[in-house]
Short mmCIF file of all heavy atoms in Angstrom, two decimals:
data_model
loop_
_atom_site.label_atom_id
_atom_site.label_comp_id
_atom_site.label_asym_id
_atom_site.label_seq_id
_atom_site.Cartn_x
_atom_site.Cartn_y
_atom_site.Cartn_z
N PRO X 293 6.76 2.59 -20.92
CA PRO X 293 6.42 1.43 -21.77
C PRO X 293 6.52 0.13 -20.99
O PRO X 293 7.58 -0.21 -20.45
CB PRO X 293 7.47 1.49 -22.88
CG PRO X 293 8.59 2.32 -22.33
CD PRO X 293 8.01 3.24 -21.31
N ASP X 348 7.68 -0.61 -8.39
CA ASP X 348 8.19 -1.81 -7.75
C ASP X 348 8.50 -2.92 -8.77
O ASP X 348 9.55 -3.56 -8.71
CB ASP X 348 7.17 -2.33 -6.72
CG ASP X 348 7.70 -2.21 -5.31
OD1 ASP X 348 8.47 -1.25 -5.05
OD2 ASP X 348 7.35 -3.05 -4.46
N ASP X 396 19.06 16.39 -15.63
CA ASP X 396 19.70 15.40 -16.49
C ASP X 396 20.97 14.88 -15.82
O ASP X 396 21.26 13.68 -15.84
CB ASP X 396 20.04 16.01 -17.86
CG ASP X 396 18.81 16.05 -18.77
OD1 ASP X 396 17.81 15.39 -18.42
OD2 ASP X 396 18.86 16.74 -19.80
N ALA X 407 22.27 1.11 -10.41
CA ALA X 407 22.77 0.13 -11.39
C ALA X 407 23.78 -0.81 -10.75
O ALA X 407 24.56 -0.41 -9.87
CB ALA X 407 23.41 0.86 -12.57
#
Side-chain angles (χ1 to χ4, degrees):
Chain X
D348 247 32
D396 280 347

